[in-house]
Amino acid sequence: MKFATKAIHAGQEPDPSTGAVMTPIYQTSTYWQKSPGEHQGFEYSRGTNPTRRALESCLAALENTTYGLAFSSGMAATEAVMKLLRAGDEVITGNDLYGGSYRIFTKIFAQYGIKFHFVDLSDPQRVQDYINDNTKLIWIETPTNPTMQIIDIAAVAAIAKANKVLLAVDNTFASPYLQNPKDLGADIVMHSVTKYLGGHSDVVMGALMLDDEDLYKRLWFIYNSCGATPGPMDSFLVLRGIKTLHLRMKAHCENGRRIAQFLKTHPQVGKVYWPGFEDHPNHEVAKKQMRDFGGMISFTVKDAGLERTFKVASSFKVFSLAESLGGVESLINHPATMTHASIPKETREQAGVTDNLLRLSVGVEDIDDLLDDLETALKL
């Protein structure tokens, strides 16, 4: 099936008891057994639930993988991958990283003896410089949050395979509509499902998608044992959201392109981070591994300090000043004090996350209203 058809149908069959076309919300914690151990594939809803299973099958189909696992948040999905590691293991990751990922790496798992290397991965060969016998995982985002660095997934995957190291790719910013890391060699694809997959800012969820059966069994054991699994209502909401993913992503990309071009020439704007520009670092890599360039854009307010940047961020009428991204509504975010506040200032600024940087999640509203809103806020 093509992408749009998978988004609407994958993992979902008419309900066998009623014929319902939409997957029911199986609001149950436990399941009847004919005799001990003799059941219909469901025992207890921490481990699995029919609504969640349908979602996991759909997620796997969208990323062209065999297996999907849904978690109660993106951080719960990230945590499950980290729990594959042991004291003494090492992880190579990017120097421009979602603040929550940086926090869980440095404040939680580093204290258990896992070592993290935060590296500029715009040149994939830098990965090779940090690989040693203790390296067990490479964790990358592309595009990165918030400076939209593009990392060559296929090149990193080749290095990972040659060294027998797992590669996990956070594909949240691109969504499966724009990019499929597994097809480029990744072992694990991670999503904050809260974002584009859910698409309506009404649910928090994460997911892992992968092919290897043994790795899936290890992750499923963590998933079931630790219990960071979502309920059926959230699973239903994401299934519903995914049905319009292909339509929404087209609109996000179209609006994102117009806004990036508007910002590029605006006198109050300094630097614009959007991988669709020919002068964006690794633009050719983005063209190769992505189908379009998305609706995530960051920009600096020219010559502005924190006070001026805050004024601009607080002056929008259509864009909402809020954390998160990927919903139908447009959002503006100040990474240094919001999504990336857990990263030390010096570390943030080395990656380009300065006090005058703002990040846009461009929604699917009328483009003229969005452009007018930007123009008004930047004039103040």
Side-chain angles (χ1 to χ4, degrees):
M1 292 188 289
K2 302 295 185 183
F3 188 91
T5 309
K6 288 193 288 188
I8 294 169
H9 294 289
Q12 298 157 80
E13 301 290 342
D15 180 59
S17 60
T18 65
V21 173
M22 293 296 104
T23 303
I25 302 166
Y26 286 91
Q27 195 69 52
T28 183
S29 61
T30 192
Y31 305 85
W32 172 80
Q33 300 187 23
K34 185 175 181 179
S35 64
E38 187 179 348
H39 49 76
Q40 298 177 61
F42 301 94
E43 299 173 80
Y44 187 63
S45 279
R46 182 188 67 243
T48 190
N49 171 283
T51 314
R52 188 164 80 237
R53 179 175 286 181
L55 171 62
E56 291 173 337
S57 296
C58 184
L59 291 169
L62 293 181
E63 284 290 10
N64 302 324
T65 65
T66 307
Y67 305 106
L69 289 169
F71 292 82
S72 56
S73 69
M75 293 316 304
T78 302
E79 180 191 38
V81 176
M82 294 302 117
K83 285 177 176 175
L84 295 170
L85 305 175
R86 298 180 179 182
D89 289 347
E90 298 189 14
V91 178
I92 301 169
T93 188
N95 68 338
D96 181 37
L97 200 63
Y98 167 53
S101 300
Y102 181 90
R103 179 176 57 212
I104 200 171
F105 293 168
T106 59
K107 302 298 184 183
I108 304 295
F109 285 98
Q111 68 181 348
Y112 296 125
I114 298 169
K115 185 175 182 179
F116 294 86
H117 301 279
F118 298 92
V119 182
D120 178 356
L121 298 178
S122 55
D123 178 359
Q125 290 307 311
R126 292 195 183 100
V127 173
Q128 192 66 58
D129 297 338
Y130 289 85
I131 286 182
N132 59 55
D133 290 342
N134 295 323
T135 308
K136 296 298 186 292
L137 174 69
I138 302 169
W139 178 280
I140 63 174
E141 298 175 9
T142 181
T144 64
N145 182 3
T147 65
M148 312 299 159
Q149 290 180 23
I150 299 297
I151 299 169
D152 190 329
I153 298 171
V156 175
I159 295 169
K161 292 283 188 297
N163 291 276
K164 298 181 180 179
V165 173
L166 286 176
L167 172 61
V169 178
D170 181 341
N171 201 31
T172 299
F173 267 32
S175 87
Y177 180 79
L178 297 181
Q179 180 173 272
N180 297 117
K182 191 276 289 190
D183 294 345
L184 298 167
D187 299 293
I188 301 170
V189 183
M190 177 269 178
H191 279 275
S192 174
V193 176
T194 309
K195 314 305 194 294
Y196 285 110
L197 287 165
H200 294 79
S201 299
D202 55 7
V203 64
V204 174
M205 192 183 292
L208 300 174
M209 294 80 131
L210 65 156
D211 268 344
D212 184 87
E213 184 178 6
D214 289 339
L215 183 58
Y216 168 74
K217 288 178 178 178
R218 291 170 64 197
L219 286 165
W220 192 90
F221 181 82
I222 294 167
Y223 156 103
N224 181 52
S225 300
C226 298
T229 51
M233 176 60 78
D234 285 353
S235 298
F236 172 83
L237 287 172
V238 174
L239 273 172
R240 185 174 67 167
I242 285 173
K243 291 181 189 302
T244 59
L245 178 62
H246 56 296
L247 303 174
R248 291 184 283 108
M249 290 307 300
K250 289 177 184 176
H252 286 300
C253 291
E254 290 170 5
N255 282 354
R257 184 178 298 275
R258 290 282 303 276
I259 286 176
Q261 292 168 345
F262 167 83
L263 292 170
K264 185 83 166 177
T265 59
H266 198 284
Q268 296 299 319
V269 172
K271 190 168 185 177
V272 181
Y273 300 88
W274 182 66
F277 290 132
E278 290 187 1
D279 61 354
H280 186 87
N282 279 349
H283 169 71
E284 291 301 319
V285 175
K287 283 176 61 178
K288 179 181 69 173
Q289 67 188 23
M290 298 176 70
R291 300 179 187 94
D292 206 332
F293 303 108
M296 295 303 301
I297 303 163
S298 294
F299 69 96
T300 59
V301 183
K302 185 179 286 186
D303 301 325
L306 204 55
E307 183 178 354
R308 161 84 173 136
T309 305
F310 275 16
K311 184 177 182 181
V312 172
S314 304
S315 299
F316 288 85
K317 302 299 182 185
V318 182
F319 284 84
S320 295
L321 179 61
E323 298 198 9
S324 198
L325 59 104
V328 291
E329 73 292 334
S330 293
L331 302 177
I332 186 163
N333 170 276
H334 183 247
T337 57
M338 296 170 73
T339 53
H340 291 65
S342 59
I343 302 176
K345 181 179 176 66
E346 182 179 354
T347 304
R348 282 199 311 265
E349 292 187 343
Q350 286 174 353
V353 186
T354 55
D355 284 347
N356 66 336
L357 182 78
L358 295 173
R359 190 194 75 187
L360 302 179
S361 173
V362 179
V364 300
E365 301 94 338
D366 188 283
I367 188 59
D368 291 333
D369 291 329
L370 296 178
L371 292 172
D372 288 346
D373 200 30
L374 276 163
E375 183 63 61
T376 300
L378 287 166
K379 280 182 176 178
L380 295 176

